[in-house]
């Protein structure tokens, strides 16, 4: 156990929980946490972008013009969505 603690930097209880929960799966608890952290970051970024999209939509509705900045924001939204889809695909495999 001591060797695993030193190699992974994880506590004995985390090692045991990972072994019990993921015995049939090579994915460790630390790896699942890292994926969760990445999902949370992507969700926050997507929320910030959605605020920008709402502001751009209000502007477009009020002036009948589609701002050039909207194209940039929508490109970023698509990139985040693609990133989330890639992460989900990796989790399913």
């Amino acid at each position: 156990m001591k060797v695993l603690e030193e190699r992974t930097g994880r506590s004995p209880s985390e090692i045991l929980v990972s072994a019990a929960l993921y015995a049939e799966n090579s994915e460790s608890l630390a790896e699942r946490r890292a994926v969760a952290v990445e999902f949370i970051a992507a969700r926050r970024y997507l929320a910030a972008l959605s605020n920008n999209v709402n502001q751009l939509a209000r502007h477009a509705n009020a002036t009948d013009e589609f701002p050039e900045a909207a194209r940039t924001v929508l490109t970023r939204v698509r990139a985040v969505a693609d990133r989330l889809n890639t992460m989900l695909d990796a989790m399913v495999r």
Side-chain angles (χ1 to χ4, degrees):
M1 182 74 75
K2 188 76 172 162
V3 173
L4 280 175
E5 288 176 59
E6 291 172 2
R7 284 187 188 166
T8 63
R10 296 162 54 199
S11 69
S13 60
E14 187 177 8
I15 292 168
L16 291 173
V17 168
S18 291
L21 292 176
Y22 307 108
E24 296 177 10
N25 187 339
S26 63
E27 194 172 279
S28 73
L29 186 57
E31 290 167 332
R32 291 179 64 87
R33 282 185 183 154
V35 169
V37 166
E38 193 163 348
F39 267 116
I40 291 168
R43 187 178 68 185
R44 285 185 183 144
Y45 186 58
L46 202 51
L49 287 174
S50 69
N51 288 334
N52 290 343
V53 169
N54 286 336
Q55 291 171 0
L56 292 167
R58 273 191 232 107
H59 176 78
N61 288 331
T63 64
D64 287 332
E65 67 179 53
F66 191 73
E68 187 58 38
R71 296 185 203 298
T72 303
V73 171
L74 293 175
T75 300
R76 290 182 183 160
V77 168
R78 286 186 190 106
V80 172
D82 288 344
R83 179 176 161 204
L84 290 171
N85 286 331
T86 300
M87 291 169 58
L88 286 170
D89 287 344
M91 288 177 69
V92 172
R93 290 183 208 149

